Amino acid sequence: MSFRFNAEVFKDNSFNENIKEKLTKALNSSTSSSSSPVVTRSETCGEAPYAGCSDAVPLGAATVTEQRTPQSRGSTTTTTTTTTISPKTRSTMSSKKLDILKSEIIVSKVNFPTMPELEILDLDISAQPRSLVKGICKISCRDAMLQIQTEIESNLLLVYSDYSPDFTTPTMICKDSFTIPITMVFSEIRLEAITNLFVKNSGIGISFNDVNLDFKFDCSIKILQSTIEKRLKKSMQMLFKEVLPSVIFNMSQTLFTAEETNRNVIEGSDKGDEERDCTKTVPLLKVMLEESDLELSPANMLRLSTLISSRQTLSLNATVLNVPSTIPGCLERQNLRRFNSRIPSLSNYYANFCEKKEKPADMKRSTSSLVSNYAFHEADQNILPAKVLEGNAYDLKTITSIQNRVFERSTDENVRPRRRKIKIAKSKKSSNHESLKDKDNTNREPSNASGEGETTEVDSPLSIQSEDPILTAPRPLKLIKPFSLMTAPCRSEFESRAYSPATLNSVSTLKLPVNLNPMYFSQTDKPSLNFEPQIVVSRANSPRKLNLLEETNYFNYRPELHKLRSTIYSPLGKNNAVLLSGKELSEQRQLFEKRRLSFVGLNYKGINWGSDDEPPPYII
Amino acid sequence: MLDYMHHILRSFEQSTNWNCDNSYANITATSQALLNFNIPTAFEFQVSGATTPYTFNTLRVSTQKILNGSLTYLYTDAENLDKIVQSSTSIYLQDAAQTYKYLQPFYNHKFDDIKPTTPKSLYYGKIYFPNSNLEAMIVKRLNRYTQLTLKCLSSFKDYNILTCYWQRDTGRNSQEAIFSTNDFLCGYRCLHNFLGVPSKTNMSLYNNSSLSIGGELWLGLITLSPGCSTTLRYCTHSPNTGRPLTLTFTWNPLFGHLSSTYSAKSSSNTTFGVKYDFNLYSIESNLSFGCEFWKRSRNETNNSPSNLPANSESESVSKGESLMYHHLTAPNASHFNNLATIKTNDKQREQILSDLAATFSTSLRKMDEEKYTIQQFTKLINNSDFTSVWKFSFSLKDKNLKALWEGKFKGFLLSAGTELRKTDMASSIQDPLSQNQKLSIYPVKFGLQLQYAT
């Protein structure tokens, strides 16, 4: 999920002025003015708020704050007018502090040619009382430019003698100030940061984990350039670790408390004209809040949370690496395609070959209302497309490595790899496969237990088959009734062929990840194939029923499924029913027999996070 | 107005025959006193006194937001200090106030009458309350030419600074090495006085002008901040009126800063000073102007003309001692007597002397006239009883005006002043309302100081 900033906002000229004014104000505010940080408008875009206040570091005072500026979202247009700043702050800053700045810092140019991006990598919204939102965001900004002007005192001895006690300072004759104007240009600013965000009732906590800030620095005084740059780099760490989070938190606190008062006002008044009250109180907050900030209310958060929780449906193995999921075993639907494409399989590797070929097949399959995800055809089985063979485009070594990896994903170490046996009717192809077999006799190929001989008869790309944990999208099709289990895994074409060709189409559309359902294999192995026609019929007759309950059942049995994961996801061990021990089978059977309806949602376990000692099932 | 303790320090230096004016730090003191005089910043009251001939103390109370003050103790083993130190009732205002100082290089070519003295020292301590800062100072006169000064400051807020001054003053040359623990500042400064020898170009026998050149070098070791400057000073008296004038020219080669001052006493109760600054690199310039107006007491103005001639004759000898050109003045009578006793029979020599006097009589008379006018003027100033002084100074670049009134009132030394500054243009742009309604001139500081010393 990523946000795009409103281009209109960026082109607005008043916005430019606003940004620049706030920047200069922030740069010139005296030390530790965290009580009244400057709220840039960037937060209104749903972004982490940035505010500035100058630091106590003598030389770094200017530089540290300049660091901050790239993050405040500027304008796409370049503005060259300089803003004037009141010198009153200077007169109040008469404390004994070494300060070589002789004038205010003026932000003379701001340019953001490309719009900054905010990508939300992960968002957890829970109804927990303490925190509302936890999320991981990626902030990126490119090609920004910033020009800062100020004047510095070059006679450091004068600075020294001005801020030292008179008694011990020797009198100097050369006490003449000599101010030099200095211009610093930060160009090609590129910021990429991964931030952790916590929204709580008290405020927003943010931490910068992976900050990548890069810029070209150009100083009008060349002698100072290297030292300033060095200091900038040094202070950057502190800025992102301490300054920014604290500033943001302090500022958000004011926002949140302000909202609370607003809420109180609303509650106190009549319920009926709540909306009118809202508009009434908004002007009060106008100073620090833009209107869109008000959308960050707990009620909205709750609404969002229900939305999010409805998305998190599909359980997957948490042990699978590189899967963008935060809740172990859960995969967000929109990530499914990505997930499937990463799974090692031949069809993935030769994806561009099979693309065209699969299209018509997909059309055929789409008779089922259930199979709606177009990702299905892509996330197919471990199939080497015919085109590859025809075009001689395959590379045996890559195939070997893919198959090896497929095998290694299996968690059953005791299983002896089975050599695949392929009989091919056509001599041309068989010769190919003979050679393949000969060369790769070490190739451990999990093969379909019952479908060995038949595959050869299929004049199709299914020359190499392996059952891999490829998921097709909306299909935790499991099963209201025990026998409905059978419906799902009618994957291999030899099965459909074994029965009436009439059912073939409807069944083939239901191709499920075979390995998702262990029952399938147990059933097929024990010669209970006579169930299949019934199942197919029932399945075809009652798709709606399944559709309704698929998720409930899925969640209902999730804990057990969790346990089973190891067996489920080992393509070889589980696909080969022969290898399944009887004990395991019985367990699984039992498991699926005891099913009932249950509540849909995040808290499917019946445990409220936060109320328990158990940590919430996500990792931040 | 000088503090009482400052006055004691000056008295100590006077008693040990140390000339603090002969230092590079004070090379521009004349114009500084006219342009950058101190203005009290609060209501302040000081009571001072000499408890014994060797110990002095001061109690100071001031109100600046909160009531604070300080307590000062001073001990010295210098002799004759009680005769030099004066109470606030008896001190002349021109001695107590920072005013035009005719800095004359004061070195003695007199026959060595200064006895080799034992090292004299001065100990000074000042504690502030309520913030408990402590200032301490030790001045040690090591031998005839050198003096060591240690100043240290101790406070709870990380300020623990020690500054050492090692000074060597031979009259003609003055050298000073400074080290401060604050920033590890090291400094060296020296001052050289050219003798007013009659040369081929300068035909006048009585040369009252003096030329000095000096320089300073600074380096802060921690911040590596350098500093240096060099200054040329020329002091003279106008030949007709006998009024002193001082010209200085300072150049800072690091920052390209040039500064020239001209200060003069235009009459016995008015002084003017002008300073022009210019920076070679930034082409910035500044013009400062300062003036003083002294007011005599009424009874003194009446009888001063009658007193002056009498005084001048009687004091002519004593005043001569402080002059630098003893080698040009006629030798002492007593000294002559000594010579005469040695060579009593040498009648010829006496004859030659009288002949010489006769031949150079015209020039000698001229010289005497010049000398007389100068001496008369200094006497007029030194002996006049001033009651109050107004000081003004303003600077074009800083847009400020300083005003200070100092006076004597029934044994109290009073000092009241203010500094006015014009508001900056930038702020008036910021809020145009204030530009029209508010005054564009506001006081930066103002204060009143009261001193009483017994």
Side-chain angles (χ1 to χ4, degrees), chain A residues 84-88 96 154-157 160 163-165 167-174 176-179, chain B residues 24-25 135-136 151 153 159 163 165 182-183 185 189 216 218 225 227 229 252 255 257 279 281 427 430-431:
Chain A
T84 51
I85 317 99
S86 80
K88 278 169 187 170
K96 293 243 175 190
S154 61
N155 194 350
L156 289 176
L157 271 183
Y160 156 83
Y163 293 106
S164 314
F167 183 70
T168 50
T169 309
T171 53
M172 294 174 194
I173 302 297
C174 63
D176 311 298
S177 84
F178 182 50
T179 56
Chain B
Y24 185 73
E135 284 178 3
K151 285 181 174 180
L153 180 85
Y159 268 143
T163 310
Y165 299 79
N182 190 8
D183 196 30
L185 183 77
R189 50 194 178 198
E216 64 178 350
W218 297 99
S225 44
S229 74
N252 187 341
F255 301 108
H257 200 90
N279 196 303
Y281 301 150
S427 68
Q430 190 76 12
D431 35 7

Side-chain angles (χ1 to χ4, degrees), chain A residues 71-332:
Chain A
Q71 291 121 39
S72 351
R73 303 302 164 201
S75 58
T76 46
T77 55
T78 307
T79 49
T80 46
T81 52
T82 56
T83 48
T84 51
I85 317 99
S86 80
K88 278 169 187 170
T89 51
R90 194 125 300 262
S91 59
T92 56
M93 285 171 67
S94 57
S95 60
K96 293 243 175 190
K97 185 173 73 74
L98 249 74
D99 196 1
I100 63 161
L101 291 178
K102 296 298 278 185
S103 75
E104 266 66 33
I105 303 157
I106 296 166
V107 180
S108 52
K109 267 186 195 173
V110 179
N111 189 16
F112 286 85
T114 53
M115 237 180 276
E117 277 174 23
L118 184 81
E119 191 180 352
I120 295 178
L121 301 177
D122 183 43
L123 196 65
D124 281 320
I125 302 180
S126 67
Q128 196 188 356
R130 263 179 292 169
S131 73
L132 297 171
V133 179
K134 298 187 178 195
I136 302 173
C137 300
K138 183 183 169 192
I139 299 160
S140 62
C141 175
R142 271 168 288 116
D143 299 334
M145 196 274 275
L146 193 82
Q147 185 177 322
I148 288 165
Q149 286 178 338
T150 187
E151 279 179 2
I152 56 166
E153 173 62 63
S154 61
N155 194 350
L156 289 176
L157 271 183
L158 173 71
V159 178
Y160 156 83
S161 57
D162 275 359
Y163 293 106
S164 314
D166 287 338
F167 183 70
T168 50
T169 309
T171 53
M172 294 174 194
I173 302 297
C174 63
K175 277 170 68 172
D176 311 298
S177 84
F178 182 50
T179 56
I180 305 174
I182 182 170
T183 312
M184 286 179 277
V185 181
F186 300 85
S187 53
E188 296 177 30
I189 301 167
R190 199 176 56 80
L191 173 82
E192 267 182 25
I194 296 197
T195 58
N196 282 346
L197 205 76
F198 311 90
V199 181
K200 293 175 182 173
N201 280 332
S202 52
I204 295 172
I206 192 163
S207 69
F208 293 86
N209 285 346
D210 189 10
V211 181
N212 186 6
L213 181 65
D214 198 23
F215 54 85
K216 267 190 186 171
F217 178 67
D218 190 35
C219 181
S220 63
I221 303 170
K222 293 294 173 194
I223 308 165
L224 294 174
Q225 181 159 347
S226 61
T227 50
I228 292 177
E229 210 168 356
K230 228 183 281 170
R231 287 202 185 203
L232 278 174
K233 295 264 156 76
K234 225 187 278 176
S235 57
M236 228 172 65
Q237 198 76 4
M238 192 197 67
L239 169 78
F240 282 106
K241 279 264 152 63
E242 292 164 24
V243 180
L244 267 181
S246 70
V247 164
I248 290 163
F249 183 74
N250 285 337
M251 194 209 59
S252 64
Q253 259 184 330
T254 60
L255 291 183
F256 274 62
T257 49
E259 194 184 355
E260 217 143 82
T261 56
N262 184 24
R263 195 155 296 280
N264 291 339
V265 170
I266 291 167
E267 279 165 9
S269 64
D270 273 346
K271 286 259 177 179
D273 44 15
E274 192 172 311
E275 199 145 345
R276 209 193 60 201
D277 273 309
C278 253
T279 52
K280 216 193 279 175
T281 48
V282 159
L284 288 172
L285 305 166
K286 199 76 182 175
V287 189
M288 53 176 104
L289 281 178
E290 304 292 337
E291 244 172 273
S292 52
D293 278 335
L294 289 171
E295 289 171 11
L296 206 73
S297 67
N300 282 340
M301 289 294 167
L302 209 68
R303 250 170 263 151
L304 272 174
S305 81
T306 50
L307 197 84
I308 289 290
S309 63
S310 67
R311 300 169 63 99
Q312 291 175 330
T313 55
L314 206 56
S315 171
L316 281 177
N317 193 349
T319 55
V320 177
L321 292 174
N322 301 324
V323 175
S325 74
T326 44
I327 300 177
C330 279
L331 182 69
E332 289 189 26

